[in-house]
Amino acid sequence: MTAAARLRPRAAQDLPARLARSAAATGHGHHLRTEDVPGWLARRARAHRFAVRRTPLDRLDGWSFQPNGGDLVHHSGRFFSVRGLAATVDEGPFTSWRQPVIHQPEVGVLGILAKEFDGVLHFLMQAKMEPGNPNLLQLSPTVQATRSNYQRVHRGAGVRYLEYFADPARGRVLTDSLQSEHGSWFYRKSNRNTLVETTADVEPHADFRWLTLGQLGELLRLDHVVNMDARTVLACFPMPAPEPGALHSDTELLSWFTAERARHDVDVRLVPLAGVDGWERDADGIGRPDGRYFRITGVTVEAGNREVTGWSQPLLEPCGTGVAAFVYRRIGGVPHVLVHAKVEAGYLDTIELAPTVQCTPGNWDPVRAEQRPPFLDLVLAAAGRGDAHYAVEHSEEGGRFLEARIRYLFVAGDEETAPLEPPPAYRWVSVGQLNSLTAHGHYVNVQARTLLACLTSGAVRL
Amino acid sequence: MTAAARLRPRAAQDLPARLARSAAATGHGHHLRTEDVPGWLARRARAHRFAVRRTPLDRLDGWSFQPNGGDLVHHSGRFFSVRGLAATVDEGPFTSWRQPVIHQPEVGVLGILAKEFDGVLHFLMQAKMEPGNPNLLQLSPTVQATRSNYQRVHRGAGVRYLEYFADPARGRVLTDSLQSEHGSWFYRKSNRNTLVETTADVEPHADFRWLTLGQLGELLRLDHVVNMDARTVLACFPMPAPEPGALHSDTELLSWFTAERARHDVDVRLVPLAGVDGWERDADGIGRPDGRYFRITGVTVEAGNREVTGWSQPLLEPCGTGVAAFVYRRIGGVPHVLVHAKVEAGYLDTIELAPTVQCTPGNWDPVRAEQRPPFLDLVLAAAGRGDAHYAVEHSEEGGRFLEARIRYLFVAGDEETAPLEPPPAYRWVSVGQLNSLTAHGHYVNVQARTLLACLTSGAVRL
């Protein structure tokens, strides 16, 4: 082998086109019709017969409040803990507060395995139960593994198909980045989002099915079918970039982002859960007397067959259904969405790019009109008229959140409702620009990634 | 104006070629010969007549040790503070320690202003005094400003040329990213690194001169002439990318980086300075009885003319001259350097890409041979033989560090000394790959950026 033969092209030029071909494959894949997927999920649910019931926090098996500070922890020190967070920020109606927060410093892996059938990329999706999901079973990535799983893989940890992600030599990595999760509920949580292609024979399993990207797009038009972990990985799939340009060049966009990240004073630290003013513990959980934001509650999972044992755990239960919406426009014929450089206390670094609107409307009822989130009324009005281009309810990470429902929307804007020169923390970005930022971590937040997954998969065309 | 007319190309295709043309302009620029720059710096030093003398920490004007915890702070609460840091990491000979650290949460701006003369880009460089520089005055960016300076600009803060960086509409941003600084000495410090082009007439000033990129490359071959702030901005200048490929594709490189960042357990927190075991305060400063790592010491600056008043401040004084070296090889004809995914306690997120070797050799004398940094002996041997491709001493941030000298080297490797399959935390990257990562923050550390500046400016050709 000569030294010259060792060089590889820096970019896989054909990948976006191969993904676009898979996105165009709708109706059926090599193995399954799209319309049969919900029935298959229902059959897997019956096969496993999971039952989830609410359980007071002080009766969760293996969990307890620490004597010093009252943090809610597992006796093994593993999984995650519920701690307190104290935040001071420099803008907005709330500049200083304390809250419970989920602390899970370990980075996990969300991995989708890809393989070509008949020349079209298919993705191996799992029918996975998570206790917080409204319908328990949803389509998840091939692998959702904690780092402990991941590092134990050679000692046989039992997470199916993990070997494709633990050993890069077994396949070809198509994308792999560290992406953040909910900045209002997690303290600096991130996971690897990775897509690996194999050409090997992959052993089938009853809980897994190969689907095209187009089929996943069709399923994203249904409520509560594609789970959050799958959506965030899908958002990172590289899209074809036929855009002739954008309202702002990539450098202008990065410069604006840099300025937004640099200008904020955000001071956040972990504090003892017992020291979180304004939150109270009652028989069932931890919440606020005013009923806002969320509660910390507990569940016990019982499995009806012999393969899986039960467990109990705390979950964070949001109060009310959220809204996450991109206002969009075609600019010079190129689809753009309006991103918001949003401060959330749990981010690693001050801001990330959020949807135009991201909030739980009920939390804003008592706030003065001029302090309500910009564009919220535009989005709610369009949704109320049935006028949104896309309006589907998805749920967030069912392993940590209980019934965390968010209504995801795309709403058309025009120069009057959403001008090309928007308020300072907002900026128009082309769909291609938003997608390319997911090659790196901590740019595009998790709610924006759900909306982006609708675009990479073809569920939504703007 | 039609909507189509609003689109801009996502990338400025001509910029790398324009920078390459400026890098090729050596010997003289439009205003000054390169050989006259050291004389000009010396004249500016005489014009200002600064004097710096060492001062015990308890006699620094405006600075004091806080009664609770002993942090060293300025009475205004501004500038920076010296605090304690407690770190636990999962690898290496030292897995748990405490140390003093500089805490400066505010993000500053390092900005270079560019302008074409005779069709060649020139860069406006300042002759700037910093008390920790071995020779006091060095070439610095057009602007080094704290965020307080920056945000006060419209109220007349007095930082010359700051308006070009505070108001994007006054010029064209060519690069702008948040870059980290020394992870062993700072707690999570980062600055904006930005390059802005103007076509306007720029008012001249005696402390500023326009130089080509090629001239800056020539000056980077001299010890202690181009300061750290200038070097880190230069590293981010986009290079032409004529590389036919690289040993690893960009996706493989990012995937390896993601895995390295995800696999480490790094637990770091600020603690009171008084609680830093192993460090002692004596009449002059804070240091270790074994004389290792660094000392916290103080200086008073006196200005000999009427324009500037004096001040005093603490500085961090490293013990011994450091080494930062890239081992390089041509692979398939394309220059590659061997990067190290290095854990440093002060990084925002576990690791950044460091030079192949980055350490102060004296600190490693008492450590067992098998725990010495890989490639250190290769680099020291080449330096000892006078066999390095580049070996120049530069100093680090003279506003925070006192005589922080690092010997920067490029040392050739081959399959025997530096194989294409290196140890796990090391990876070969092409020069173009390393340069393109500087478009984003927290990939390439500050020492690697000094070496990269030698490549972007043409000081070194591999």
Side-chain angles (χ1 to χ4, degrees):
Chain A
M1 189 198 244
T2 67
R6 295 181 183 281
L7 290 189
R8 298 184 191 188
R10 285 184 46 187
Q13 300 295 349
D14 60 336
L15 177 61
R18 294 173 68 214
L19 290 170
R21 198 179 317 136
S22 182
T26 54
H28 60 88
H30 187 77
H31 299 92
L32 195 65
R33 291 184 304 173
T34 310
E35 65 191 58
D36 293 335
V37 172
W40 170 68
L41 277 172
R43 285 196 303 280
R44 296 320 303 158
R46 285 195 298 273
H48 289 295
R49 285 184 294 148
F50 291 107
V52 175
R53 59 181 167 76
R54 287 175 181 265
T55 308
L57 295 179
D58 54 10
R59 280 193 265 155
L60 295 178
D61 188 29
W63 293 81
S64 60
F65 291 96
Q66 282 189 316
N68 298 329
D71 291 346
L72 181 57
V73 301
H74 193 258
H75 66 76
S76 67
R78 291 178 57 217
F79 306 116
F80 62 94
S81 58
V82 181
R83 304 177 66 171
L85 177 147
T88 307
V89 301
D90 54 354
E91 280 185 4
F94 309 106
T95 56
S96 186
W97 72 91
R98 293 186 169 214
Q99 64 167 81
V101 76
I102 299 176
H103 184 241
Q104 186 177 6
E106 173 178 296
V107 174
V109 176
L110 309 178
I112 294 183
L113 188 63
K115 181 174 157 73
E116 273 197 0
F117 297 93
D118 298 335
V120 176
L121 281 171
H122 285 60
F123 304 94
L124 189 59
M125 306 304 290
Q126 180 178 8
K128 186 173 173 67
M129 192 287 295
E130 290 172 315
N133 288 341
N135 47 355
L136 291 186
L137 260 75
Q138 297 188 5
L139 282 180
S140 86
T142 318
V143 160
Q144 293 179 203
T146 63
R147 194 175 61 194
S148 325
N149 291 145
Y150 187 80
Q151 292 181 333
R152 264 199 309 267
V153 65
H154 298 298
R155 286 176 272 146
V159 174
R160 207 173 295 274
Y161 305 119
L162 186 53
E163 63 274 19
Y164 292 96
F165 303 93
D167 177 5
R170 290 194 63 134
R172 180 177 162 220
V173 178
L174 304 184
T175 180
D176 189 356
S177 56
L178 277 186
Q179 300 292 344
S180 67
E181 297 193 358
H182 304 71
S184 295
W185 299 337
F186 277 121
Y187 179 73
R188 300 188 175 173
K189 173 95 184 87
S190 63
N191 273 324
R192 283 179 75 175
N193 283 233
T194 179
L195 172 64
V196 169
E197 182 178 359
T198 184
T199 53
D201 284 338
V202 177
E203 194 185 345
H205 183 275
D207 285 337
F208 293 79
R209 287 291 181 270
W210 293 98
L211 299 172
T212 67
L213 187 49
Q215 291 186 287
L216 290 166
E218 293 175 294
L219 295 163
L220 276 167
R221 293 191 205 118
L222 306 177
D223 293 348
H224 303 296
V225 170
V226 181
N227 86 351
M228 187 205 81
D229 304 271
R231 300 191 306 266
T232 168
V233 183
L234 290 173
C236 303
F237 284 21
M239 295 178 81
E243 299 172 353
L247 183 63
H248 304 288
S249 73
D250 289 1
T251 298
E252 287 170 333
L253 174 60
L254 288 176
S255 179
W256 167 78
F257 183 89
T258 300
E260 285 292 316
R261 184 161 267 176
R263 80 181 168 91
H264 285 290
D265 268 325
V266 177
D267 183 36
V268 173
R269 60 206 158 81
L270 291 173
V271 296
L273 181 57
V276 169
D277 314 327
W279 295 72
E280 291 176 5
R281 192 171 140 197
D282 60 25
D284 296 328
I286 299 169
R288 291 169 54 98
D290 62 10
R292 285 160 78 184
Y293 308 124
F294 59 81
R295 293 174 53 77
I296 302 294
T297 182
V299 293
T300 296
V301 180
E302 286 159 359
N305 65 13
R306 290 171 305 175
E307 288 176 23
V308 191
T309 55
W311 72 91
S312 43
Q313 67 168 90
L315 288 170
L316 184 154
E317 181 181 21
C319 302
T321 298
V323 171
F326 267 136
V327 174
Y328 70 93
R329 291 178 64 175
R330 294 183 79 94
I331 302 170
V334 174
H336 283 65
V337 295
L338 186 59
V339 295
H340 177 203
K342 186 175 173 68
V343 173
E344 293 195 273
Y347 288 148
L348 182 66
D349 200 4
T350 65
I351 60 148
E352 296 195 9
L353 299 180
T356 322
V357 170
Q358 175 197 312
C359 68
T360 302
N363 290 336
W364 292 87
D365 288 343
V367 174
R368 291 200 310 276
E370 68 272 22
Q371 292 194 313
R372 279 168 69 83
F375 307 104
L376 174 58
D377 296 328
L378 170 69
V379 163
L380 293 181
R385 287 194 307 272
D387 218 13
H389 184 54
Y390 174 88
V392 176
E393 196 173 286
H394 297 295
S395 39
E396 308 305 292
E397 176 58 47
R400 297 292 174 268
F401 310 131
L402 180 60
E403 302 260 345
R405 298 162 180 269
I406 295 182
R407 196 163 188 216
Y408 285 95
L409 303 116
F410 283 88
V411 170
D414 58 27
E415 188 59 26
E416 190 184 331
T417 57
L420 293 188
E421 289 199 16
Y426 293 79
R427 189 66 48 125
W428 290 101
V429 305
S430 75
V431 171
Q433 287 178 317
L434 192 66
N435 177 241
S436 63
L437 288 176
T438 64
H440 310 282
H442 305 292
Y443 278 113
V444 183
N445 85 350
V446 66
Q447 293 91 342
R449 294 202 305 280
T450 281
L451 289 164
L452 185 54
C454 294
L455 299 167
T456 61
S457 65
V460 172
R461 293 176 203 277
L462 301 181
Chain B
M1 190 200 241
T2 67
R6 295 181 184 279
L7 290 188
R8 300 184 190 185
R10 283 184 48 186
Q13 301 296 350
D14 61 337
L15 178 61
R18 294 173 68 215
L19 290 169
R21 198 179 318 136
S22 182
T26 54
H28 60 87
H30 187 76
H31 300 90
L32 195 66
R33 292 184 304 175
T34 309
E35 65 189 60
D36 293 336
V37 171
W40 170 69
L41 277 172
R43 286 196 302 281
R44 296 320 302 156
R46 285 196 297 275
H48 289 295
R49 285 185 292 146
F50 291 106
V52 175
R53 59 183 167 75
R54 286 176 180 266
T55 308
L57 294 180
D58 54 9
R59 280 192 265 154
L60 294 178
D61 188 29
W63 293 82
S64 59
F65 291 97
Q66 283 190 315
N68 299 329
D71 292 346
L72 181 56
V73 300
H74 192 258
H75 66 76
S76 67
R78 291 177 56 216
F79 307 117
F80 63 94
S81 57
V82 181
R83 304 177 67 171
L85 177 146
T88 306
V89 301
D90 55 353
E91 281 186 4
F94 309 106
T95 54
S96 186
W97 72 90
R98 293 186 169 214
Q99 64 168 80
V101 76
I102 300 176
H103 185 241
Q104 185 177 6
E106 173 179 295
V107 175
V109 176
L110 309 178
I112 294 183
L113 188 63
K115 182 174 157 72
E116 274 197 359
F117 297 92
D118 298 335
V120 176
L121 281 171
H122 285 59
F123 304 94
L124 189 58
M125 306 304 289
Q126 179 177 10
K128 185 173 173 68
M129 192 287 293
E130 290 173 314
N133 288 341
N135 47 354
L136 291 188
L137 260 76
Q138 297 188 5
L139 283 180
S140 87
T142 319
V143 160
Q144 293 178 203
T146 62
R147 194 175 62 193
S148 326
N149 291 147
Y150 187 80
Q151 292 181 332
R152 263 201 309 269
V153 65
H154 299 297
R155 287 175 273 144
V159 174
R160 208 172 294 275
Y161 305 118
L162 185 52
E163 63 273 18
Y164 291 96
F165 302 93
D167 176 7
R170 289 196 63 136
R172 179 177 162 218
V173 178
L174 304 184
T175 179
D176 189 355
S177 55
L178 276 186
Q179 300 293 344
S180 67
E181 298 193 357
H182 304 71
S184 295
W185 299 337
F186 278 120
Y187 179 74
R188 300 188 175 174
K189 173 95 184 86
S190 64
N191 274 322
R192 283 178 74 175
N193 283 234
T194 178
L195 172 64
V196 169
E197 182 179 0
T198 182
T199 53
D201 285 338
V202 177
E203 193 185 346
H205 183 276
D207 285 337
F208 293 79
R209 288 291 181 271
W210 292 100
L211 299 172
T212 67
L213 187 50
Q215 291 186 286
L216 291 166
E218 293 175 294
L219 295 163
L220 276 167
R221 291 189 207 120
L222 306 178
D223 293 348
H224 303 296
V225 170
V226 181
N227 86 353
M228 187 206 81
D229 305 270
R231 300 191 308 264
T232 168
V233 183
L234 289 172
C236 303
F237 284 21
M239 294 178 80
E243 299 172 354
L247 183 63
H248 304 287
S249 73
D250 289 2
T251 297
E252 288 170 334
L253 174 61
L254 288 176
S255 180
W256 168 78
F257 183 89
T258 300
E260 285 292 315
R261 185 161 268 175
R263 80 181 168 90
H264 286 290
D265 266 326
V266 177
D267 181 36
V268 172
R269 60 204 159 82
L270 291 173
V271 297
L273 180 57
V276 170
D277 314 327
W279 296 71
E280 292 176 5
R281 192 171 140 198
D282 61 24
D284 296 328
I286 298 169
R288 290 169 55 97
D290 62 9
R292 285 161 78 184
Y293 308 122
F294 60 80
R295 294 174 54 76
I296 301 295
T297 182
V299 293
T300 298
V301 180
E302 286 159 359
N305 65 12
R306 289 170 307 175
E307 287 175 25
V308 192
T309 55
W311 73 91
S312 37
Q313 66 168 91
L315 288 171
L316 184 155
E317 182 181 20
C319 302
T321 298
V323 170
F326 268 136
V327 174
Y328 70 92
R329 290 178 64 176
R330 294 183 79 94
I331 301 170
V334 174
H336 283 65
V337 294
L338 186 59
V339 295
H340 177 204
K342 187 175 173 67
V343 172
E344 293 195 270
Y347 289 147
L348 182 65
D349 200 3
T350 66
I351 60 148
E352 297 195 10
L353 299 180
T356 322
V357 170
Q358 174 197 312
C359 68
T360 301
N363 290 337
W364 291 88
D365 288 343
V367 174
R368 291 202 309 277
E370 68 272 21
Q371 291 193 314
R372 279 168 70 82
F375 307 104
L376 174 59
D377 296 329
L378 170 70
V379 163
L380 293 180
R385 288 194 307 271
D387 219 12
H389 184 54
Y390 174 89
V392 175
E393 197 174 285
H394 296 294
S395 40
E396 308 305 292
E397 176 58 46
R400 297 292 175 268
F401 310 131
L402 180 61
E403 301 259 346
R405 298 162 181 269
I406 295 182
R407 195 163 189 216
Y408 284 95
L409 303 115
F410 283 88
V411 171
D414 58 27
E415 188 59 26
E416 190 183 331
T417 57
L420 292 188
E421 288 199 17
Y426 293 79
R427 189 64 48 124
W428 291 101
V429 305
S430 75
V431 172
Q433 286 177 319
L434 192 67
N435 177 241
S436 63
L437 287 176
T438 64
H440 310 282
H442 306 291
Y443 278 114
V444 184
N445 85 350
V446 66
Q447 293 91 342
R449 293 202 305 280
T450 281
L451 289 165
L452 185 54
C454 295
L455 300 167
T456 60
S457 65
V460 172
R461 291 175 204 280
L462 301 182

